[in-house]
Amino acid sequence: MTSSAKSKYKVLLVAYKDIDQKTKNIITKYSVCNIKNKDVFLGQTNYQGSGRNFNLNDRVSIYIGWFKDQIIEKLDQGYTLDIVEIHKSYGNTREELLKVLDIEYGDNILVLDIQEI
């Protein structure tokens, strides 16, 4: 993890269940990976790197590696998960909004982890 001044993205792991479509749209606006099914998730964790052209697929593969245990645990509890990537140019507004939703919705929306890269 790098210092905030040097980071390019914030990556959040968000779990949710039993929410309305409007709230889901807020959570998933900057989602780079949606995870609903444990079997499908486990089958999709073997991403191939693309060598020198480091792109979104490569980043998603890294994010999944960071969050894999938490993802499996929450899938077993009936949650859908999204990995949300926020570019630093957006500031903290999106992150703060997700944190507020976590507080307001209790166990129905959980911000499980935040990483900076």
Side-chain angles (χ1 to χ4, degrees):
M1 192 155 69
T2 61
S3 70
S4 336
K6 295 180 182 180
S7 67
K8 189 172 184 175
Y9 297 100
K10 280 196 178 181
V11 182
L12 295 85
L13 179 63
V14 182
Y16 55 92
K17 63 181 176 181
D18 303 325
I19 60 172
D20 60 65
Q21 187 61 44
K22 182 178 176 184
T23 306
K24 181 179 176 183
N25 291 344
I26 293 169
I27 293 170
T28 61
K29 184 171 184 174
Y30 296 105
S31 175
V32 294
C33 185
N34 176 265
I35 306 154
K36 298 177 186 176
N37 180 290
K38 185 176 176 180
D39 294 330
V40 172
F41 168 69
L42 292 173
Q44 290 180 338
T45 57
N46 295 321
Y47 291 98
Q48 295 294 319
S50 56
R52 297 175 78 148
N53 297 325
F54 197 75
N55 61 28
L56 179 58
N57 287 335
D58 297 318
R59 292 194 313 268
V60 168
S61 180
I62 290 168
Y63 304 158
I64 287 171
W66 289 345
F67 303 137
K68 185 175 182 178
D69 293 338
Q70 293 176 85
I71 292 169
I72 291 170
E73 177 185 338
K74 290 303 176 188
L75 286 171
D76 286 341
Q77 295 174 8
Y79 285 89
T80 298
L81 295 102
D82 274 270
I83 297 174
V84 177
E85 180 184 79
I86 305 169
H87 193 276
K88 72 175 183 175
S89 65
Y90 292 130
N92 291 328
T93 307
R94 176 65 47 180
E95 175 186 359
E96 294 305 318
L97 175 60
L98 292 171
K99 288 178 179 178
V100 167
L101 290 174
D102 181 332
I103 293 166
E104 288 182 8
Y105 282 79
D107 288 342
N108 288 354
I109 298 175
L110 304 170
V111 176
L112 300 172
D113 203 339
I114 301 172
Q115 298 287 328
E116 291 185 29
I117 58 168

